[in-house]
Amino acid sequence: MTSLTRFSVAPLASMTRRLADVASGRADPDLVISDARVLSTYSERILPAREVWIAGGRIAAVKPAGTHKGGAKRYDAKGGIIAPGLVDPHIHIESSMVTACAYAEAALLNGTTTIFCDSHEIGNVMDVAGVEAMLEDARHAPLSIFLTVPSTVPATSPELETAGGDLTPDKIAALFDKWPEAVALGEKMDFVPVTMGDERSHAILAAALSRGKPVCGHVYGREFVAAYAASGVTDTHEAIDRDIADDMLEAGIWLFLRGGPPTTPWHSLPDAIRTITELGSSHKRVAVCTDDRDADDLLTFGMDWVVREAVKAGMTKEQAWSMGSLHGATRFGKEGEIGGMGGSRRADLVLLDDDLKPVSTWYGGELVVDQKKITPILDEALSDLWRYPEAAYHTVKLPKELKLTPDLPTTPVIAHTIRTELPGIILGHEQIRLEPANDWQTQFDRHGLCFVTVIERHGKSSGNVAHGLLSNFALKSGAVASSVGHDSHNIIIAGANEADMQVALRAIEAHQGGVCVVQDGVVTAMVPLPIAGLLSDKRVHVVAEEVQKLKIEWEKAGCTIPYMGFNLIPLSVIPEIRITDKGNVLVPEMRIQPLFEPA
């Protein structure tokens, strides 16, 4: 396997003399990118008629076009725009359902050369071993991958859900001390306990702050911003509108404007960016990010797409690209290495057309994408993906027999149902009166109900199963299921009947994870996820094709929210009602609510 990783470029300390010689014309560069316009993220200008001198995988100098007269290897940019590679300051690799090595292919095609990932999904399944496995995977990837250490595993408490991991303050401190690429504390999702002074939450904050590491955030509600900032949190990707975005900037919190595909619940950039376009805020502490992408959307809606969305929302091209590169690098103290085109920086570069669409990408001076196609050197680097430890392939542990639908009452009851609504983040608590009937299907049809069940799959209980009801989900027949039920990543199944739900459950068990659709006892679409029940072991284009088929069958089944929204139904830190393996959870009261109560 060709060595093409973050470590392929030597540390700057060992290269300064050579770079100075090249920049001064005393030595030839390895590569000259000629006839280019240069997008400067430092001055936010596009500089005409330039050439870029590269040596040892770093930029030696940016010079006027035609300056170099020697015989160095050349790449003719033909008047295109050369810009620094994009830097995604907040993503979850697991959402893509591919490994870090496989993720690199899609990222580089989209001009992204550095990511800061929060691996709390695999941490919730495999504890420290999962986080460290992903870090090893990242070290083998042809992409610069840094970790924001998962901070909220589990998302709530053992009383409310069963997770596979428990990242204590001591475990988090040890990750910081062992792994140099652990550069920050990941999103502190339990913002209510943080603002209420919870001891464990603040001990985790202290593990990062005492080591000089910044703390990433996740918060809803303007009333929480002051106490959140006072607790040391200094960025967030959850600014969902103009006013809370403005509050956060004034509280000293970096904004990562999240550009989510229009088909998902995560596209908050157009509203939040109005703190700049309408209220006159500076963009100097604003970056853009992707947060979550499946393999299909990763190829279509990469960081480059988010940058173009910022342009559509009112930023100049130069400002938007800076928000996609230099600003994220600056937030994590990496601006001396990435995010700009000054001398000594890594030669992580992108050739763009006038619409800011990537054409070619260099990673550490190596051409990895040329004319929108991966080059042989990248293909070779991706041909043998790093294999996770054997334990990662055995994380779905289920009893032989499980009942997936509740016993239906014989007297009038009030059912506490979970009402799904687009875009799918917030779920409503709908109380519905149900009358006893011989034909319960008529009752379900009348009120638009289907079953929803969460099954503990980490082998930490005797097989916890919680039964609930979804309203407005519109699933009339069959079942849909996923082992990616955030954040504890237990199995969630919605269905019209026990038989199809059982088929879905056993399909996930057989593959040791996945997302599937079942109709009439047949699995019509399946994305197998054998690594921790979260990740495929295939290349990104293969997984993207599987996801495309899943989306088609998901829509045919009638589901009103997409599968990524479905995966959020067990996420017990977002209002108003959720379901975990312990039962229906009322948020923010954080208590279990029985499914049925006497009418």
Side-chain angles (χ1 to χ4, degrees):
M1 181 174 176
T2 298
S3 176
L4 184 65
T5 70
R6 176 165 59 91
F7 307 101
S8 301
V9 175
L12 177 59
S14 67
M15 293 182 61
T16 53
R17 292 182 67 193
R18 182 184 176 195
L19 291 170
D21 285 344
V22 173
S24 301
R26 294 188 297 272
D28 278 340
D30 299 329
L31 172 68
V32 174
I33 302 175
S34 59
D35 189 20
R37 290 172 287 158
V38 166
L39 194 159
S40 170
T41 54
Y42 304 128
S43 62
E44 293 187 347
R45 297 177 295 178
I46 293 179
L47 309 173
R50 296 294 194 273
E51 61 187 33
V52 184
W53 296 1
I54 296 170
R58 293 183 178 274
I59 297 169
V62 176
K63 300 276 189 173
T67 301
H68 183 69
K69 305 299 184 184
K73 181 180 177 182
R74 290 180 177 267
Y75 183 98
D76 187 354
K78 297 180 180 178
I81 299 170
I82 294 289
L86 291 168
V87 176
D88 194 335
H90 179 76
I91 71 108
H92 303 281
I93 290 175
E94 298 98 319
S95 294
S96 70
M97 299 189 287
V98 297
T99 65
C101 286
Y103 185 99
E105 180 173 0
L108 293 168
L109 282 165
N110 293 326
T112 302
T113 51
T114 301
I115 62 174
F116 292 84
C117 73
D118 182 339
S119 56
H120 71 226
E121 284 90 346
I122 201 167
N124 266 289
V125 176
M126 295 180 63
D127 204 82
V128 169
V131 177
E132 294 195 324
M134 182 161 281
L135 281 164
E136 288 287 359
D137 180 14
R139 285 186 170 184
H140 288 80
L143 192 71
S144 294
I145 301 177
F146 297 94
L147 175 72
T148 61
V149 177
S151 66
T152 319
V153 176
T156 54
S157 68
E159 290 73 36
L160 296 178
E161 60 187 328
T162 306
D166 179 18
L167 293 185
T168 63
D170 287 344
K171 290 177 182 178
I172 288 169
L175 282 167
F176 278 127
D177 293 341
K178 180 178 178 180
W179 296 87
E181 51 266 73
V183 297
L185 188 68
E187 57 176 304
K188 203 74 188 79
M189 297 179 64
D190 55 339
F191 60 90
V192 175
V194 167
T195 58
M196 296 298 292
D198 174 73
E199 183 176 354
R200 172 179 162 128
S201 298
H202 281 263
I204 288 171
L205 293 172
L209 294 171
S210 65
R211 288 165 171 79
K213 306 292 187 181
V215 175
C216 306
H218 164 120
V219 61
Y220 291 90
R222 298 177 73 183
E223 66 272 24
F224 296 109
V225 171
Y228 206 47
S231 300
V233 179
T234 44
D235 76 44
T236 183
H237 57 285
E238 296 288 359
I240 60 173
D241 60 38
R242 181 194 72 173
D243 293 333
I244 194 170
D246 208 57
D247 291 350
M248 289 171 176
L249 282 180
E250 292 300 343
I253 296 174
W254 277 83
L255 290 185
F256 299 160
L257 301 179
R258 180 174 55 205
T263 55
T264 72
W266 290 275
H267 196 42
S268 52
L269 181 150
D271 282 335
I273 204 170
R274 293 189 297 142
T275 182
I276 300 169
T277 58
E278 292 181 5
L279 300 182
S281 297
S282 168
H283 69 293
K284 68 183 179 181
R285 287 174 60 86
V286 180
V288 297
C289 74
T290 59
D291 194 6
D292 293 289
R293 292 288 191 276
D294 65 31
D296 180 27
D297 286 340
L298 183 62
L299 291 165
T300 308
F301 301 102
M303 269 287 281
D304 61 313
W305 177 84
V306 183
V307 167
R308 292 192 296 274
E309 287 293 295
V311 175
K312 285 171 58 177
M315 308 306 293
T316 68
K317 291 179 180 180
E318 297 85 350
Q319 290 172 331
W321 199 269
S322 296
M323 290 162 63
S325 55
L326 179 62
H327 292 200
T330 302
R331 189 279 180 270
F332 291 110
K334 300 291 184 184
E335 70 274 21
E337 277 281 292
I338 55 176
M341 291 182 59
S344 80
R345 275 63 169 183
R346 282 181 58 101
D348 296 343
L349 305 172
V350 187
L351 174 63
L352 305 169
D353 66 17
D354 285 348
D355 295 322
L356 299 188
K357 292 182 178 179
V359 176
S360 300
T361 305
W362 290 262
Y363 179 63
E366 294 284 355
L367 184 64
V368 290
V369 175
D370 192 19
Q371 301 302 312
K372 303 183 181 181
K373 296 184 183 300
I374 67 171
T375 61
I377 189 173
L378 179 57
D379 189 51
E380 184 180 351
L382 295 166
S383 63
D384 185 18
L385 302 179
W386 186 78
R387 182 173 172 84
Y388 277 66
E390 192 60 29
Y393 293 84
H394 304 282
T395 64
V396 176
K397 304 165 185 175
L398 301 176
K400 289 184 178 179
E401 294 185 8
L402 291 167
K403 189 175 186 298
L404 302 182
T405 54
D407 293 326
L408 296 173
T410 58
T411 58
V413 293
I414 300 297
H416 292 268
T417 74
I418 301 169
R419 182 175 178 83
T420 63
E421 298 280 2
L422 286 172
I425 294 180
I426 306 297
L427 301 176
H429 179 194
E430 185 172 14
Q431 300 179 52
I432 298 175
R433 180 184 173 90
L434 297 178
E435 301 287 346
N438 292 328
D439 181 12
W440 270 99
Q441 189 60 50
T442 300
Q443 292 280 299
F444 276 34
D445 290 344
R446 179 180 302 158
H447 297 288
L449 301 177
C450 71
F451 298 111
V452 62
T453 302
V454 173
I455 305 102
E456 192 273 314
R457 59 103 162 177
H458 305 294
K460 291 201 166 187
S461 71
S462 56
N464 284 350
V465 178
H467 302 122
L469 295 172
L470 294 180
S471 65
N472 197 43
F473 190 59
L475 180 70
K476 302 273 184 180
S477 64
V480 295
S482 172
S483 58
V484 192
H486 294 292
D487 260 341
S488 288
H489 299 293
N490 289 308
I491 295 171
I492 178 170
I493 306 175
N497 60 79
E498 175 90 20
D500 283 333
M501 293 171 74
Q502 289 284 354
V503 171
L505 177 66
R506 298 309 168 182
I508 286 177
E509 182 183 30
H511 289 282
Q512 282 296 296
V515 187
C516 68
V517 179
V518 173
Q519 288 292 334
D520 299 321
V522 176
V523 178
T524 60
M526 179 91 198
V527 182
L529 302 174
I531 302 172
L534 301 172
L535 305 173
S536 173
D537 53 7
K538 302 169 186 171
R539 291 269 292 261
V540 67
H541 285 87
V542 177
V543 181
E545 290 174 3
E546 294 174 346
V547 172
Q548 288 168 7
K549 183 177 180 183
L550 175 79
K551 290 177 177 177
I552 291 169
E553 293 300 321
W554 195 276
E555 190 172 334
K556 282 184 185 177
C559 306
T560 52
I561 58 173
Y563 82 91
M564 289 185 80
F566 177 74
N567 287 341
L568 296 177
I569 290 174
L571 184 55
S572 54
V573 294
I574 300 178
E576 179 174 47
I577 184 172
R578 303 279 154 166
I579 181 170
T580 72
D581 68 300
K582 297 295 183 74
N584 287 311
V585 178
L586 293 183
V587 185
E589 297 99 315
M590 303 309 276
R591 65 176 177 85
I592 301 293
Q593 170 64 54
L595 175 58
F596 298 119
E597 289 184 331

